[in-house]
Coordinates of all heavy atoms in Angstrom, one line a residue:
M227 N 0.8 -36.4 14.4 CA 0.6 -35.6 13.2 C 0.8 -34.1 13.5 O 0.3 -33.6 14.5 CB -0.8 -35.8 12.7 CG -1.0 -35.3 11.3 SD -2.3 -36.3 10.5 CE -2.3 -35.6 8.9
P228 N 1.6 -33.4 12.7 CA 1.8 -32.0 13.0 C 0.6 -31.1 12.8 O -0.4 -31.5 12.1 CB 2.9 -31.6 12.0 CG 2.8 -32.6 10.9 CD 2.2 -33.8 11.4
K229 N 0.7 -29.9 13.4 CA -0.5 -29.0 13.3 C -0.5 -28.5 11.9 O 0.5 -28.3 11.2 CB -0.2 -27.8 14.3 CG -0.4 -28.2 15.7 CD -0.1 -27.0 16.6 CE -0.2 -27.3 18.0 NZ 0.0 -26.1 18.8
M230 N -1.8 -28.1 11.5 CA -2.0 -27.4 10.2 C -1.5 -26.0 10.3 O -1.8 -25.3 11.3 CB -3.5 -27.4 9.9 CG -4.0 -28.7 9.2 SD -3.9 -28.7 7.5 CE -4.9 -27.3 7.0
K231 N -0.7 -25.5 9.3 CA -0.3 -24.1 9.3 C -1.3 -23.3 8.5 O -1.8 -23.7 7.5 CB 1.1 -24.0 8.7 CG 2.2 -24.5 9.6 CD 3.5 -23.9 9.2 CE 4.6 -24.3 10.2 NZ 5.9 -23.8 9.9
T232 N -1.6 -22.1 9.0 CA -2.4 -21.2 8.3 C -1.7 -20.6 7.1 O -0.5 -20.3 7.2 CB -2.8 -20.0 9.2 OG1 -3.3 -20.5 10.4 CG2 -3.7 -19.0 8.6
H233 N -2.4 -20.5 6.0 CA -1.8 -19.9 4.7 C -1.6 -18.4 4.9 O -2.6 -17.7 5.1 CB -2.7 -20.2 3.6 CG -2.2 -19.9 2.2 ND1 -1.9 -18.6 1.8 CD2 -1.7 -20.7 1.2 CE1 -1.4 -18.7 0.6 NE2 -1.3 -20.0 0.2
S234 N -0.4 -18.0 4.9 CA 0.0 -16.6 5.2 C -0.7 -15.6 4.3 O -1.2 -14.5 4.7 CB 1.5 -16.3 5.1 OG 2.1 -17.2 6.0
G235 N -0.8 -15.9 3.0 CA -1.5 -15.0 2.0 C -2.9 -14.9 2.3 O -3.5 -13.9 2.2
A236 N -3.6 -16.1 2.6 CA -5.0 -16.1 2.9 C -5.4 -15.3 4.1 O -6.4 -14.6 4.1 CB -5.5 -17.5 3.0
K237 N -4.6 -15.4 5.2 CA -4.9 -14.7 6.4 C -4.9 -13.2 6.3 O -5.5 -12.5 7.0 CB -4.1 -15.2 7.6 CG -2.7 -14.7 7.6 CD -1.9 -15.2 8.8 CE -0.5 -14.8 8.8 NZ 0.3 -15.6 9.8
K238 N -4.1 -12.7 5.3 CA -4.0 -11.3 5.0 C -5.2 -10.8 4.2 O -5.5 -9.6 4.2 CB -2.7 -10.9 4.3 CG -1.5 -11.2 5.2 CD -0.2 -11.0 4.3 CE 1.0 -11.6 5.1 NZ 2.2 -11.7 4.2
R239 N -5.8 -11.7 3.4 CA -6.8 -11.3 2.4 C -8.2 -11.5 2.8 O -9.1 -10.9 2.2 CB -6.5 -12.0 1.1 CG -5.3 -11.5 0.4 CD -5.0 -12.4 -0.8 NE -4.0 -11.8 -1.7 CZ -2.7 -11.9 -1.5 NH1 -2.2 -12.6 -0.4 NH2 -1.8 -11.4 -2.3
F240 N -8.5 -12.4 3.7 CA -9.9 -12.7 4.1 C -10.2 -12.6 5.5 O -9.3 -12.8 6.4 CB -10.1 -14.2 3.7 CG -9.9 -14.5 2.2 CD1 -8.7 -15.1 1.8 CD2 -10.8 -14.1 1.2 CE1 -8.5 -15.4 0.5 CE2 -10.5 -14.3 -0.1 CZ -9.4 -14.9 -0.5
K241 N -11.4 -12.1 5.8 CA -11.9 -12.0 7.2 C -13.2 -12.8 7.3 O -14.0 -12.8 6.4 CB -12.1 -10.5 7.5 CG -10.9 -9.7 7.6 CD -10.3 -9.6 8.9 CE -9.1 -8.7 9.0 NZ -7.9 -9.1 8.4
L242 N -13.4 -13.3 8.5 CA -14.6 -14.1 8.8 C -15.6 -13.1 9.4 O -15.3 -12.4 10.3 CB -14.3 -15.2 9.8 CG -15.1 -16.5 9.7 CD1 -15.1 -17.1 8.4 CD2 -14.7 -17.4 10.8
T243 N -16.9 -13.2 8.9 CA -18.0 -12.4 9.5 C -18.5 -13.1 10.7 O -18.2 -14.3 10.9 CB -19.1 -12.2 8.4 OG1 -19.7 -13.5 8.1 CG2 -18.6 -11.5 7.2
G244 N -19.4 -12.5 11.4 CA -20.0 -13.1 12.5 C -20.8 -14.3 12.2 O -20.9 -15.2 13.1
S245 N -21.4 -14.4 11.1 CA -22.3 -15.5 10.7 C -21.4 -16.6 10.0 O -22.0 -17.6 9.6 CB -23.4 -15.1 9.7 OG -22.8 -14.5 8.6
G246 N -20.1 -16.4 9.9 CA -19.2 -17.5 9.4 C -18.9 -17.4 7.9 O -18.3 -18.3 7.4
K247 N -19.4 -16.3 7.3 CA -19.1 -16.1 5.9 C -17.7 -15.4 5.7 O -17.2 -14.9 6.7 CB -20.2 -15.3 5.2 CG -21.5 -16.0 5.1 CD -22.6 -15.1 4.6 CE -23.9 -15.7 4.6 NZ -25.0 -14.8 4.3
L248 N -17.2 -15.5 4.5 CA -15.9 -14.8 4.3 C -16.0 -13.5 3.5 O -16.7 -13.5 2.6 CB -15.0 -15.8 3.5 CG -14.4 -17.0 4.3 CD1 -13.9 -18.0 3.4 CD2 -13.3 -16.5 5.3
K249 N -15.3 -12.5 4.0 CA -15.3 -11.2 3.3 C -13.9 -11.1 2.6 O -12.9 -11.5 3.1 CB -15.3 -10.1 4.4 CG -16.6 -9.4 4.5 CD -16.7 -8.3 5.5 CE -15.5 -8.0 6.4 NZ -15.8 -6.8 7.2
R250 N -14.0 -10.3 1.5 CA -12.8 -10.1 0.7 C -12.9 -8.6 0.2 O -13.9 -8.1 0.1 CB -12.6 -11.0 -0.4 CG -13.7 -10.9 -1.5 CD -13.4 -11.6 -2.7 NE -14.5 -11.5 -3.7 CZ -14.7 -10.5 -4.5 NH1 -13.8 -9.5 -4.6 NH2 -15.7 -10.5 -5.4
Q251 N -11.7 -8.1 -0.2 CA -11.7 -6.8 -0.8 C -11.7 -7.0 -2.3 O -11.4 -8.0 -2.9 CB -10.4 -6.0 -0.5 CG -10.4 -5.5 0.9 CD -9.2 -4.7 1.2 OE1 -8.1 -4.9 0.7 NE2 -9.4 -3.6 2.0
Q252 N -12.1 -5.9 -3.1 CA -12.2 -6.0 -4.5 C -10.9 -5.6 -5.1 O -10.1 -4.9 -4.5 CB -13.3 -5.1 -5.0 CG -14.7 -5.5 -4.6 CD -15.8 -4.8 -5.3 OE1 -16.0 -5.1 -6.5 NE2 -16.4 -3.9 -4.7
A253 N -10.6 -6.2 -6.3 CA -9.4 -5.9 -7.0 C -9.4 -4.5 -7.7 O -10.5 -3.9 -7.7 CB -9.2 -7.0 -8.1
N254 N -8.3 -4.0 -8.1 CA -8.2 -2.8 -8.9 C -8.4 -1.5 -8.1 O -8.8 -0.5 -8.6 CB -9.1 -2.8 -10.1 CG -8.9 -3.9 -11.1 OD1 -7.7 -4.2 -11.4 ND2 -9.9 -4.6 -11.5
R255 N -8.0 -1.6 -6.8 CA -8.2 -0.4 -5.9 C -6.8 0.0 -5.3 O -6.7 0.8 -4.4 CB -9.2 -0.7 -4.8 CG -9.6 0.5 -4.0 CD -10.6 1.3 -4.7 NE -10.7 2.7 -4.2 CZ -11.1 3.1 -3.0 NH1 -11.5 2.2 -2.1 NH2 -11.1 4.3 -2.6
R256 N -5.7 -0.5 -5.8 CA -4.4 -0.3 -5.2 C -3.6 0.8 -5.8 O -3.1 1.7 -5.0 CB -3.6 -1.6 -5.3 CG -4.1 -2.7 -4.5 CD -3.6 -2.6 -3.0 NE -4.2 -3.6 -2.2 CZ -4.5 -3.4 -0.9 NH1 -4.3 -2.3 -0.3 NH2 -5.1 -4.4 -0.2
H257 N -3.5 0.9 -7.1 CA -2.7 2.0 -7.7 C -3.2 2.4 -9.0 O -4.2 1.9 -9.5 CB -1.2 1.5 -7.8 CG -1.1 0.2 -8.5 ND1 -1.2 0.0 -9.8 CD2 -0.8 -1.1 -7.9 CE1 -1.0 -1.3 -10.1 NE2 -0.8 -2.0 -9.0
Y258 N -2.6 3.5 -9.5 CA -3.1 4.2 -10.8 C -4.5 4.7 -10.6 O -5.3 4.7 -11.5 CB -3.0 3.3 -12.0 CG -1.6 2.7 -12.3 CD1 -1.5 1.3 -12.4 CD2 -0.6 3.5 -12.4 CE1 -0.2 0.8 -12.6 CE2 0.7 3.0 -12.6 CZ 0.9 1.7 -12.8 OH 2.1 1.2 -13.0
L259 N -4.8 5.2 -9.4 CA -6.2 5.6 -9.1 C -6.5 6.9 -9.8 O -7.7 7.3 -10.0 CB -6.4 5.8 -7.6 CG -6.3 4.4 -6.8 CD1 -6.3 4.7 -5.3 CD2 -7.4 3.5 -7.2
E260 N -5.5 7.7 -10.2 CA -5.7 9.0 -10.9 C -6.3 8.7 -12.3 O -6.9 9.6 -12.9 CB -4.5 9.8 -11.0 CG -3.3 9.3 -11.8 CD -2.3 8.5 -10.9 OE1 -2.7 8.0 -9.8 OE2 -1.2 8.3 -11.3
H261 N -6.1 7.5 -12.8 CA -6.6 7.2 -14.2 C -8.0 6.6 -14.1 O -8.7 6.6 -15.1 CB -5.7 6.2 -14.9 CG -4.3 6.7 -15.1 ND1 -4.0 7.8 -15.8 CD2 -3.1 6.2 -14.6 CE1 -2.7 8.0 -15.8 NE2 -2.1 7.0 -15.1
K262 N -8.4 6.2 -12.9 CA -9.7 5.6 -12.8 C -10.7 6.6 -12.3 O -10.4 7.6 -11.6 CB -9.7 4.5 -11.7 CG -8.8 3.3 -12.3 CD -8.5 2.3 -11.2 CE -7.5 1.3 -11.7 NZ -6.8 0.6 -10.7
S263 N -12.0 6.5 -12.8 CA -13.0 7.5 -12.4 C -13.4 7.3 -10.9 O -13.3 6.3 -10.3 CB -14.2 7.2 -13.3 OG -14.9 6.0 -13.0
S264 N -13.9 8.4 -10.4 CA -14.3 8.4 -9.0 C -15.4 7.4 -8.8 O -15.6 6.8 -7.8 CB -14.8 9.8 -8.6 OG -13.8 10.8 -8.8
R265 N -16.3 7.3 -9.8 CA -17.4 6.4 -9.8 C -16.9 5.0 -9.6 O -17.5 4.2 -8.8 CB -18.2 6.6 -11.1 CG -19.4 5.8 -11.2 CD -19.9 6.0 -12.6 NE -21.3 5.6 -12.7 CZ -22.0 5.7 -13.8 NH1 -21.5 6.2 -14.9 NH2 -23.3 5.5 -13.8
L266 N -15.9 4.6 -10.4 CA -15.3 3.3 -10.3 C -14.7 3.0 -8.9 O -14.9 2.0 -8.3 CB -14.3 3.1 -11.4 CG -13.6 1.7 -11.4 CD1 -14.5 0.6 -11.7 CD2 -12.4 1.7 -12.4
T267 N -13.9 4.0 -8.4 CA -13.2 3.8 -7.2 C -14.2 3.7 -6.0 O -14.0 2.9 -5.1 CB -12.2 4.9 -6.9 OG1 -12.8 6.1 -7.0 CG2 -11.0 4.8 -7.8
R268 N -15.3 4.4 -6.1 CA -16.3 4.3 -5.0 C -17.0 2.9 -5.1 O -17.2 2.3 -4.1 CB -17.4 5.4 -5.2 CG -17.0 6.7 -4.7 CD -18.3 7.6 -4.5 NE -19.0 7.7 -5.8 CZ -18.7 8.6 -6.7 NH1 -17.7 9.5 -6.6 NH2 -19.5 8.7 -7.8
R269 N -17.2 2.4 -6.3 CA -17.8 1.1 -6.5 C -16.9 0.0 -5.9 O -17.4 -1.0 -5.3 CB -18.1 0.9 -7.9 CG -18.9 -0.4 -8.2 CD -19.3 -0.6 -9.6 NE -18.1 -0.8 -10.5 CZ -17.4 -1.9 -10.6 NH1 -17.6 -2.9 -9.9 NH2 -16.4 -1.9 -11.5
L270 N -15.6 0.2 -6.1 CA -14.7 -0.8 -5.6 C -14.4 -0.8 -4.2 O -13.7 -1.6 -3.6 CB -13.4 -0.7 -6.4 CG -13.5 -1.0 -7.9 CD1 -12.2 -0.6 -8.6 CD2 -13.8 -2.4 -8.2
A271 N -14.9 0.3 -3.5 CA -14.5 0.5 -2.1 C -15.0 -0.5 -1.1 O -14.4 -0.9 -0.2 CB -15.0 1.9 -1.7
G272 N -16.3 -1.0 -1.4 CA -16.9 -1.9 -0.4 C -16.3 -3.3 -0.5 O -15.7 -3.7 -1.4
D273 N -16.5 -4.0 0.6 CA -16.1 -5.4 0.7 C -17.2 -6.3 0.1 O -18.3 -5.9 0.0 CB -15.9 -5.9 2.1 CG -14.7 -5.2 2.8 OD1 -13.9 -4.7 2.0 OD2 -14.6 -5.2 4.0
K274 N -16.8 -7.5 -0.4 CA -17.7 -8.4 -1.0 C -17.6 -9.8 -0.2 O -16.6 -10.0 0.4 CB -17.3 -8.7 -2.5 CG -17.5 -7.5 -3.4 CD -19.0 -7.4 -3.7 CE -19.1 -6.2 -4.7 NZ -20.5 -5.8 -4.9
L275 N -18.6 -10.6 -0.4 CA -18.6 -11.9 0.2 C -18.0 -12.9 -0.8 O -18.2 -12.7 -2.0 CB -20.0 -12.4 0.6 CG -20.6 -11.6 1.8 CD1 -22.0 -12.1 2.0 CD2 -19.8 -11.8 3.1
V276 N -17.3 -13.9 -0.3 CA -16.7 -14.9 -1.2 C -17.7 -15.8 -1.6 O -18.6 -16.2 -0.8 CB -15.5 -15.6 -0.4 CG1 -15.0 -16.7 -1.2 CG2 -14.4 -14.6 -0.1
F277 N -17.7 -16.3 -2.8 CA -18.6 -17.3 -3.3 C -18.5 -18.6 -2.5 O -17.4 -19.0 -2.1 CB -18.5 -17.6 -4.8 CG -18.9 -16.5 -5.7 CD1 -18.1 -15.7 -6.4 CD2 -20.3 -16.2 -5.8 CE1 -18.5 -14.6 -7.2 CE2 -20.8 -15.2 -6.6 CZ -19.9 -14.4 -7.3
K278 N -19.6 -19.3 -2.4 CA -19.7 -20.5 -1.6 C -18.7 -21.6 -2.0 O -18.0 -22.2 -1.1 CB -21.1 -21.1 -1.7 CG -21.5 -21.9 -0.6 CD -22.9 -22.5 -0.9 CE -23.8 -22.9 0.0 NZ -25.1 -23.4 -0.5
G279 N -18.5 -21.8 -3.3 CA -17.5 -22.8 -3.8 C -16.1 -22.5 -3.4 O -15.3 -23.4 -3.1
D280 N -15.7 -21.2 -3.5 CA -14.4 -20.8 -3.1 C -14.2 -20.7 -1.6 O -13.1 -21.0 -1.1 CB -14.1 -19.3 -3.7 CG -14.2 -19.3 -5.2 OD1 -13.9 -20.3 -5.9 OD2 -14.6 -18.2 -5.7
A281 N -15.3 -20.5 -0.9 CA -15.2 -20.3 0.6 C -14.7 -21.6 1.2 O -13.9 -21.6 2.2 CB -16.5 -19.9 1.1
K282 N -15.0 -22.8 0.7 CA -14.6 -24.0 1.2 C -13.1 -24.2 1.2 O -12.5 -24.6 2.2 CB -15.3 -25.2 0.5 CG -15.2 -26.5 1.1 CD -15.9 -27.6 0.3 CE -15.7 -29.0 0.9 NZ -16.3 -30.0 0.1
V283 N -12.5 -23.9 0.1 CA -11.1 -24.0 -0.1 C -10.4 -23.0 0.8 O -9.4 -23.3 1.5 CB -10.7 -23.7 -1.5 CG1 -9.2 -23.8 -1.7 CG2 -11.4 -24.7 -2.4
I284 N -10.9 -21.7 0.9 CA -10.3 -20.7 1.7 C -10.3 -21.0 3.2 O -9.4 -20.8 3.9 CB -10.9 -19.3 1.4 CG1 -10.6 -18.9 -0.1 CG2 -10.4 -18.2 2.3 CD1 -11.5 -17.8 -0.6
K285 N -11.4 -21.5 3.6 CA -11.6 -21.9 5.0 C -10.6 -23.0 5.4 O -10.0 -23.0 6.5 CB -13.0 -22.4 5.3 CG -14.0 -21.2 5.5 CD -15.3 -21.7 6.0 CE -16.2 -20.6 6.2 NZ -17.6 -21.0 6.7
K286 N -10.3 -23.8 4.5 CA -9.3 -24.9 4.7 C -7.9 -24.2 4.9 O -7.1 -24.6 5.7 CB -9.3 -25.9 3.6 CG -8.6 -27.2 3.9 CD -8.8 -28.2 2.8 CE -8.1 -29.5 3.1 NZ -8.3 -30.5 2.0
M287 N -7.6 -23.2 4.0 CA -6.3 -22.5 4.1 C -6.2 -21.8 5.4 O -5.1 -21.7 5.9 CB -6.2 -21.5 2.9 CG -5.9 -22.1 1.6 SD -5.3 -20.9 0.5 CE -6.7 -20.7 -0.6
L288 N -7.3 -21.3 5.9 CA -7.3 -20.5 7.2 C -7.3 -21.5 8.4 O -7.2 -21.0 9.5 CB -8.5 -19.6 7.2 CG -8.5 -18.4 6.2 CD1 -9.8 -17.7 6.2 CD2 -7.3 -17.5 6.4
G289 N -7.5 -22.7 8.2 CA -7.6 -23.7 9.3 C -8.9 -23.6 10.0 O -8.9 -23.9 11.2
L290 N -10.0 -23.3 9.3 CA -11.3 -23.3 10.0 C -12.1 -24.5 9.7 O -11.9 -25.2 8.7 CB -12.1 -22.0 9.5 CG -11.3 -20.7 9.7 CD1 -12.1 -19.6 9.0 CD2 -11.3 -20.4 11.2

C-alpha cells in the first residue's frame, strides 16, 4: 500500500501545539486592512484553536 500524502493546503494552514491540539489563523486579516478598524485587526491577530470535530479531519489530512 502506498504512503499517505500530506494535504498541501492543510500543512500551510495548521500547526500542532505541544499538547497535540491544532492552531489556526483567523480569517479577514489578509487585505483591505485600511478599511477595517484597528480594534478589529487587533482582535483578528491572535491564533485560535481548531474545534474538536474539525480537528479529527484535519489531523487525517496532515497524516497524524
Side-chain angles (χ1 to χ4, degrees):
M227 192 151 188
K229 291 180 180 178
M230 277 271 298
K231 285 200 174 180
T232 304
H233 190 288
S234 300
K237 77 181 175 193
K238 293 170 193 171
R239 287 172 170 83
F240 303 103
K241 292 271 185 287
L242 207 60
T243 63
S245 60
K247 293 175 184 170
L248 286 165
K249 254 185 354 178
R250 66 169 177 84
Q251 288 187 321
Q252 294 194 73
N254 301 315
R255 189 79 203 289
R256 291 279 174 210
H257 48 77
Y258 303 126
L259 295 173
E260 64 269 23
H261 301 302
K262 293 167 189 164
S263 68
S264 304
R265 184 185 201 178
L266 177 66
T267 51
R268 278 196 307 273
R269 186 177 64 76
L270 295 172
D273 292 341
K274 293 283 183 192
L275 291 176
V276 173
F277 286 110
K278 206 185 206 177
D280 299 328
K282 190 178 177 184
V283 179
I284 295 164
K285 279 186 177 180
K286 196 172 179 182
M287 283 196 254
L288 295 171
L290 302 172

